């Protein structure tokens, strides 16, 4: 009578502290350059080392430039990247340096190398660690002090979240992607609707998603407040992981798959909350505000003031004022300045295939600056091997180098103040893509169609 979340959690309990949190064993810790320097300093201050360095992996991504990777010109970003490399050397941690074939965004590389496996507990000092739940793992973002805790003990003190199951059944319409599913759920539940829960995604729609689509959906779980997003492993998961660098091999693979097949919620499992949606209700979506839940179907209008609860109107108007939109306005057809394909949300090979399918044989709009940034060097090589780079080049696009890029303003890819970007990334907060920048979140298909026309465009019309 257990949920998938319960099975993974219970298998990792070291001890329950009466009246307090659970001491949870952690299988994998990922470290990027932004949140870890203080954690390593904590170890030095206490005179202790990393307890199990072979279960820890370091990789710079936030500060990495996407135009060249010889040097980071920003002194703070350069210092963070250099410090991560030095800490990994000192403490014996595997490090994938900037510019190496193993590098990329940590939430893309982890699953791609099969470092993230079903049944694992995975943590990282980054909120979008929820991505790794797509393989059937319990993956959570943690704070810097908690990173130090895991480095020192391979354990984490953590209160057990409640459980929620979001079930979506039915067939997605043409032009609708996993990104649209996530934006739809957030609009329905709000960005705090899953606070305090670990969410399992279930139903025929989820089972029919590719691995890349599942990773996108799990990535965005944190944007509705959830602690984690999990999808039960199945044949799609196993086919994706088999043969990858860190996946079990030979007999160990067969034994692992036999165990992984037990990682599903029991038929009589009881969740603290159940939510259901229908796939046929989901259309391609865009956001209009400054949080990922402020979104509409691409052919809808921004809500009018009478549709907004009185207590929410001030915030609603403040969002629209920042975005330079108006209540009741239709965004389809609105001119854009920048487009961004990438991030740990949509920087995988499937996303580039989808983008290329829209732009093939067409030309990028002259008024649009485009950043197309793979999530890893492996993805970039796939793009080249499949000839996608030629399709992009012929359409007037440049394939850049792996990086978090324009997802956040921590590297040179910043959207200028006042300019409007349509982006496949995960957040549209005030200044997220640069001071004063305005961001509309959308799927790779919507971004591709908009990059060609120079305005927000429904890909179903291309």
């Amino acid at each position: 009578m257990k949920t998938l979340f319960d099975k993974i959690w219970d298998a990792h309990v070291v001890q329950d502290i009466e009246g307090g949190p659970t001491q949870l064993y952690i299988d994998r810790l990922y470290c990027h350059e932004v949140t870890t320097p203080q954690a390593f300093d904590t170890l030095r201050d206490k005179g202790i080392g990393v307890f199990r360095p072979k279960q820890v992996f370091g990789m710079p991504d936030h500060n990495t430039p996407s135009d060249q990777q010889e040097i980071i010109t920003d002194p703070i970003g350069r210092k963070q990247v250099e410090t991560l490399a030095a800490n990994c050397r000192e403490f014996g941690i595997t490090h994938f340096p900037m510019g190496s074939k193993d590098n990329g965004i940590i939430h893309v590389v982890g699953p791609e190398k099969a470092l993230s496996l079903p049944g694992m507990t995975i943590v990282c000092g980054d909120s979008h660690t929820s991505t790794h739940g797509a393989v059937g793992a319990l993956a959570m973002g943690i704070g810097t002090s908690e990173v130090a805790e895991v480095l020192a003990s391979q354990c984490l003190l953590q209160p057990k979240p409640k459980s929620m199951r979001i079930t979506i059944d039915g067939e997605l319409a043409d032009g609708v992607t996993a990104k649209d599913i996530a934006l739809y759920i957030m609009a329905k539940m709000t960005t705090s609707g899953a606070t305090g829960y670990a969410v399992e995604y279930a139903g025929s729609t989820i089972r029919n998603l590719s691995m890349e689509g599942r990773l996108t959906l799990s990535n965005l779980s944190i944007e509705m407040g959830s602690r984690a997003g999990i999808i039960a492993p199945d044949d799609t998961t196993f086919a994706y992981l088999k043969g990858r660098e860190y996946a079990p091999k030979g007999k160990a693979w067969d034994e692992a798959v036999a165990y992984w097949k037990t990682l599903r919620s029991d038929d009589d499992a009881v969740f603290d909350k159940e939510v259901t949606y229908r796939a046929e209700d989901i259309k391609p979506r865009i956001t209009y505000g400054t949080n990922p839940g402020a979104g509409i179907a691409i052919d809808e209008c921004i809500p009018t003031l009478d549709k907004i609860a009185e207590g929410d109107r001030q915030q609603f108007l403040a969002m629209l004022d920042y975005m330079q939109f108006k209540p009741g306005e239709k965004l389809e057809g609105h001119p854009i300045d920048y487009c961004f394909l990438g991030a740990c949300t949509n920087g995988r090979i499937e996303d580039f295939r989808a983008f290329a399918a829209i732009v093939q044989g067409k030309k990028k709009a002259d008024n649009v600056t485009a950043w197309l940034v793979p999530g890893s060097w492996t993805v970039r090589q796939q793009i080249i091997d499949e000839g996608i780079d030629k399709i992009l080049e012929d359409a007037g696009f440049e394939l850049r180098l792996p990086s978090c890029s324009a997802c956040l303003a921590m590297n040179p890819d910043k959207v200028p103040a006042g300019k409007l970007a349509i982006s496949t990334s995960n957040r549209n907060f005030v200044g997220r893509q640069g001071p004063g920048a305005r961001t509309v979140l959308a799927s790779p298909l919507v971004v591709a169609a908009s990059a060609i026309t120079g305005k927000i465009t429904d890909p179903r019309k291309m």
Side-chain angles (χ1 to χ4, degrees):
M1 233 180 102
K2 286 186 175 184
T3 67
L4 168 58
F5 165 69
D6 287 333
K7 289 180 180 181
I8 300 174
W9 181 276
D10 292 350
H12 290 82
V13 171
V14 177
Q15 63 174 327
D16 284 310
I17 299 170
E18 188 174 350
T22 300
Q23 185 184 22
L24 201 66
Y25 184 78
I26 301 301
D27 293 303
R28 187 79 73 222
L29 168 64
Y30 295 127
C31 296
H32 63 66
E33 75 274 25
V34 179
T35 58
T36 55
Q38 299 90 336
F40 285 104
D41 286 343
T42 298
L43 298 190
R44 292 189 191 92
D45 291 344
K46 295 183 179 299
I48 55 179
V50 174
F51 184 55
R52 291 191 171 164
K54 289 186 178 180
Q55 291 171 234
V56 184
F57 290 81
M59 184 184 312
D61 52 15
H62 283 51
N63 289 288
T64 306
S66 71
D67 57 343
Q68 56 77 35
Q69 295 187 355
E70 298 300 318
I71 188 170
I72 297 173
T73 56
D74 175 64
I76 296 175
R78 184 169 65 249
K79 179 67 172 176
Q80 288 180 331
V81 170
E82 290 171 350
T83 300
L84 175 65
N87 283 329
C88 287
R89 283 194 301 271
E90 179 181 346
F91 290 95
I93 292 168
T94 300
H95 176 243
F96 300 134
M98 183 178 77
S100 72
K101 67 177 180 61
D102 297 306
N103 185 255
I105 304 172
I106 205 160
H107 304 315
V108 174
V109 174
E112 158 183 286
K113 284 186 170 294
L115 284 166
S116 303
L117 295 171
M120 278 187 169
T121 49
I122 300 169
V123 295
C124 174
D126 185 275
S127 54
H128 294 106
T129 306
S130 57
T131 308
H132 307 264
V135 302
L138 174 56
M140 302 177 288
I142 58 176
T144 298
S145 61
E146 292 173 311
V147 171
E149 190 180 317
V150 178
L151 286 170
S153 68
Q154 208 59 40
C155 292
L156 179 67
L157 292 174
Q158 193 74 191
K160 186 177 183 180
K162 293 181 288 186
S163 62
M164 178 191 297
R165 179 163 56 189
I166 298 177
T167 302
I168 308 176
D169 284 309
E171 187 174 344
L172 293 173
D174 288 344
V176 180
T177 71
K179 182 65 164 288
D180 300 302
I181 295 174
L183 293 175
Y184 178 84
I185 294 172
M186 283 186 277
K188 291 292 184 182
M189 293 185 58
T190 78
T191 50
S192 60
T195 300
Y197 290 89
V199 173
E200 179 181 345
Y201 298 100
S204 61
T205 309
I206 307 303
R207 289 193 297 273
N208 287 329
L209 288 177
S210 65
M211 205 61 223
E212 288 88 350
R214 297 178 188 191
L215 289 160
T216 294
L217 182 59
S218 295
N219 173 271
L220 286 157
S221 300
I222 189 66
E223 303 306 336
M224 55 184 181
S226 64
R227 198 71 189 90
I230 311 174
I231 298 173
D234 57 15
D235 288 343
T236 298
T237 320
F238 310 148
Y240 175 86
L241 294 171
K242 189 172 185 179
R244 293 184 182 266
E245 185 175 353
Y246 287 87
K249 305 293 190 299
K251 183 181 178 183
W253 169 261
D254 295 334
E255 292 172 349
V257 170
Y259 166 61
W260 294 342
K261 287 181 176 179
T262 70
L263 295 176
R264 56 181 296 276
S265 292
D266 295 332
D267 293 340
D268 55 356
V270 177
F271 290 79
D272 294 301
K273 187 173 183 178
E274 294 263 15
V275 180
T276 59
Y277 298 110
R278 301 187 309 169
E280 55 264 37
D281 293 336
I282 306 174
K283 298 180 180 180
R285 297 188 66 84
I286 50 172
T287 60
Y288 61 82
T290 54
N291 71 69
I296 52 177
I298 196 167
D299 56 3
E300 292 178 344
C301 296
I302 296 173
T304 50
L305 208 53
D306 61 296
K307 300 286 179 64
I308 305 298
E310 191 170 345
D312 297 330
R313 288 179 185 175
Q314 185 175 352
Q315 182 185 17
F316 173 73
L317 290 172
M319 285 197 304
L320 294 189
D321 181 63
Y322 180 84
M323 292 297 296
Q324 301 175 29
F325 297 149
K326 292 180 174 60
E329 182 179 355
K330 189 168 187 177
L331 295 187
E332 187 180 4
H334 195 292
I336 61 166
D337 304 299
Y338 283 75
C339 79
F340 171 51
L341 172 66
C344 57
T345 315
N346 285 118
R348 298 175 182 83
I349 187 62
E350 180 180 275
D351 304 309
F352 279 82
R353 289 171 183 155
F355 189 98
I358 293 286
V359 306
Q360 186 167 18
K362 305 177 181 70
K363 288 291 183 183
K364 179 182 75 67
D366 291 338
N367 64 298
V368 173
T369 298
W371 290 321
L372 276 53
V373 187
S376 72
W377 283 92
T378 297
V379 171
R380 193 175 193 276
Q381 190 59 52
Q382 284 179 284
I383 291 168
I384 294 169
D385 291 343
E386 295 182 19
I388 293 172
D389 60 324
K390 300 299 183 186
I391 294 172
L392 300 176
E393 183 181 347
D394 290 345
F397 296 94
E398 174 197 359
L399 180 65
R400 294 171 78 90
L401 305 180
S403 162
C404 286
S405 183
C407 178
L408 77 173
M410 290 189 69
N411 56 73
D413 296 348
K414 296 179 177 66
V415 176
K419 298 297 185 181
L420 181 64
I422 187 163
S423 174
T424 65
S425 50
N426 38 50
R427 286 181 173 164
N428 52 348
F429 300 163
V430 171
R432 172 77 176 182
Q433 291 191 290
R438 301 179 295 142
T439 302
V440 171
L441 299 178
S443 75
L445 295 177
V446 174
V447 172
S450 303
I452 294 298
T453 63
K455 55 192 177 183
I456 296 173
T457 300
D458 188 336
R460 298 172 297 182
K461 297 179 180 179
M462 296 291 286

